[in-house]
Amino acid sequence: MDTNNIIKNSLRYLVNNYFRFPIVLVRGEGCKVWDVDGKEYIDFASGLGTTNLGHCHPKIIEAVKDQVETLIHISNFYHIVPQVEMAMLLVENSFADRVFFCNSGAEANEAAIKLARKYSRDRYGDQRYEVISTRGSFHGRTIASLSATCQEKLWKGFEPMLVGFQYVPFDNIEETEKTISDKTCAIIVEPIQGEGGVNIPSEGYLKKLRGLCDKNNLLLILDEVQTGMGRTGKLFAYEHENVSPDIMTLAKSLGGGLPIGAMLATNDVAETFTPGSHGSTFGGNPLSCAAGMAALKVILEENLLENSSKVGNYFIDRLKGLQMKYDFIKDLRGRGLMIGMEIDFEGKKIVELCAEKGFIINCTMERILRFLPPLMIGEKEVDLLIDMLNEIFKGLKS
């Protein structure tokens, strides 16, 4: 099928719940992807932060090939070797003692919310079930994770949201403290808001949240679905502030491109779940775990954390050069290779122009151009993007 027929059938047969650009991508390698007509694109979006190792990394391919010839699926009624090994690797490299595997970030956050509620009820009674979340957050699109998400545009048409959530401004300790009540059991927060516009809190924010949780016997849940697995230059973003959560959620790049999510917790909190408390048919699938292990080992062994910091700093410096030339660029913010450029008009047209010129970028909150390239991106690719953006911006200004 040619491009037009594929798009025609996509629109005809798929549920119309995604905005899709008129591009059919069929192949990927490293930082590049190609469409059905053979056009090359440099990927600065990574499937919204999912392919941190780029496309079709040879070690992930090898791990998946080996596993697919061994065991593709078995239920969680049995012990699963790749699942155990993946859990060990995550525990050895994080604050956590235990791991629950699922399939996505939304599912991981659902598990975190359930665990926090049950933990609190088991210890403090039935009236402690509320979770405090932050405005502008994004925790997923299932009903509990959507209720934790504080973006009213995403709630529209699906109300009422699940009861038991309170919302406070991001990066505002005073309002958070005022909102804590006898009903509060946990605070859920992204260390950096991703979909909300790459919003970075002030230094010390996570430490202060940790302090509030300790003072009030609350659990701190960090949603690292986007910030985790090296995206910010550390394996997990909480390491920048040397703060440990009680629960952390992961997904996106956890499987190197294969679908997997995880909820990590301390022993004290995790033991709240007992057989029958929660589950996921495909959670911890051998194939996804094999891919995840390969991906995590590559991140740790091939200096990708260092590259994320180094190239991320270079990237921001180059974007600052554009900011000095174009007054419609209102702000630049980022950490590692999670970068946002705020402009004073809708960014969709810029995303489309970038695609025409062979670059894939993303726009969130209508006016934030978001850059989430693979962690092995180099300065050469950044320079190509900056030159192209300069060309587009020059055209917009004239």
Side-chain angles (χ1 to χ4, degrees):
M1 282 193 286
D2 61 18
T3 301
N4 287 338
N5 276 323
I6 294 168
I7 292 173
K8 181 181 168 188
N9 285 331
S10 175
L11 295 173
R12 162 66 181 81
Y13 290 105
L14 292 172
V15 173
N16 187 29
N17 60 320
Y18 296 110
F19 168 81
R20 297 178 196 265
F21 292 98
I23 298 172
V24 182
L25 297 173
V26 294
R27 186 167 71 87
E29 182 180 335
C31 300
K32 295 178 180 176
V33 287
W34 288 264
D35 70 15
V36 71
D37 299 315
K39 181 177 175 179
E40 179 182 295
Y41 302 80
I42 301 179
D43 187 359
F44 277 84
S46 300
L48 301 181
T50 298
T51 50
N52 276 13
L53 298 189
H55 298 275
C56 301
H57 192 286
K59 290 195 176 173
I60 294 176
I61 292 173
E62 184 185 356
V64 170
K65 277 184 177 176
D66 287 346
Q67 188 59 47
V68 82
E69 291 175 349
T70 307
L71 183 68
I72 294 177
H73 179 75
I74 196 74
S75 90
N76 281 303
F77 286 160
Y78 306 94
H79 298 282
I80 301 167
V81 175
Q83 192 182 103
V84 175
E85 292 177 344
M86 178 73 175
M88 288 170 66
L89 204 52
L90 286 170
V91 165
E92 286 165 3
N93 287 283
S94 74
F95 74 97
D97 302 305
R98 300 270 180 172
V99 183
F100 163 77
F101 287 112
C102 48
N103 305 289
S104 68
E107 215 184 312
N109 282 323
E110 291 272 346
I113 292 162
K114 284 181 70 177
L115 181 63
R117 283 188 169 188
K118 189 165 188 305
Y119 175 89
S120 191
R121 286 191 184 215
D122 286 354
R123 282 157 181 76
Y124 306 109
D126 290 346
Q127 298 308 308
R128 281 176 57 127
Y129 57 86
E130 284 188 349
V131 175
I132 294 177
S133 177
T134 58
R135 295 191 185 121
S137 60
F138 182 83
H139 299 293
R141 293 178 187 271
T142 57
I143 197 66
S145 63
L146 186 62
S147 300
T149 294
C150 187
Q151 293 191 45
E152 291 183 9
K153 66 180 182 185
L154 301 178
W155 296 345
K156 200 171 179 183
F158 303 106
E159 300 95 338
M161 291 296 102
L162 199 65
V163 297
F165 292 90
Q166 299 289 332
Y167 310 102
V168 297
F170 184 61
D171 196 18
N172 189 319
I173 290 297
E174 291 73 23
E175 285 298 316
T176 305
E177 187 163 20
K178 280 184 202 168
T179 305
I180 293 171
S181 73
D182 292 342
K183 294 180 180 178
T184 310
C185 71
I187 297 173
I188 184 170
V189 67
E190 299 154 277
I192 297 174
Q193 288 188 337
E195 207 277 339
V198 193
N199 300 316
I200 302 175
S202 53
E203 193 175 345
Y205 175 59
L206 292 185
K207 267 191 180 169
K208 288 173 184 170
L209 283 182
R210 177 74 269 174
L212 281 184
C213 287
D214 291 342
K215 181 181 170 186
N216 295 281
N217 294 320
L218 311 178
L219 297 181
L220 179 60
I221 305 170
L222 292 186
D223 177 342
E224 294 236 24
V225 168
Q226 188 167 132
T227 54
M229 312 315 293
R231 174 56 54 189
T232 68
K234 300 276 190 187
L235 189 57
F236 306 112
Y238 72 77
E239 296 175 69
H240 289 286
E241 286 206 32
N242 199 24
V243 170
S244 290
D246 301 292
I247 302 173
M248 175 172 71
T249 55
L250 301 171
K252 287 193 179 291
S253 62
L254 184 61
L258 269 73
I260 186 170
M263 179 195 70
L264 287 70
T266 60
N267 262 330
D268 177 47
V269 177
E271 68 182 10
T272 299
F273 272 178
T274 53
S277 297
H278 194 56
S280 170
T281 297
F282 287 103
N285 170 271
L287 213 54
S288 295
C289 284
M293 263 196 303
L296 181 49
K297 285 179 181 174
V298 170
I299 290 172
L300 293 172
E301 294 168 4
E302 297 189 6
N303 296 324
L304 293 186
L305 299 178
E306 185 182 337
N307 195 65
S308 178
S309 291
K310 177 174 163 281
V311 179
N313 289 336
Y314 178 79
F315 200 162
I316 287 189
D317 283 345
R318 292 298 321 269
L319 290 171
K320 282 179 181 171
L322 292 179
Q323 189 180 26
M324 291 174 70
K325 291 174 69 174
Y326 301 103
D327 58 8
F328 57 77
I329 300 174
K330 295 303 176 189
D331 193 23
L332 286 171
R333 43 191 185 257
R335 184 168 284 162
L337 287 168
M338 183 176 182
I339 298 169
M341 171 191 274
E342 183 173 351
I343 56 179
D344 66 3
F345 54 88
E346 288 192 14
K348 184 182 168 191
K349 184 65 181 171
I350 292 177
V351 175
E352 291 172 346
L353 290 170
C354 285
E356 284 178 18
K357 294 178 181 297
F359 292 84
I360 293 177
I361 68 166
N362 167 252
C363 180
T364 186
M365 303 300 280
E366 297 184 349
R367 297 178 181 220
I368 315 292
L369 300 180
R370 183 169 48 162
F371 307 100
L372 302 165
L375 303 188
M376 72 276 285
I377 199 90
E379 293 179 359
K380 179 185 167 188
E381 288 83 8
V382 171
D383 287 342
L384 290 171
L385 176 74
I386 297 295
D387 290 346
M388 187 273 305
L389 286 173
N390 187 43
E391 193 182 318
I392 290 175
F393 291 169
K394 203 186 299 178
L396 292 173
K397 198 173 180 183
S398 60

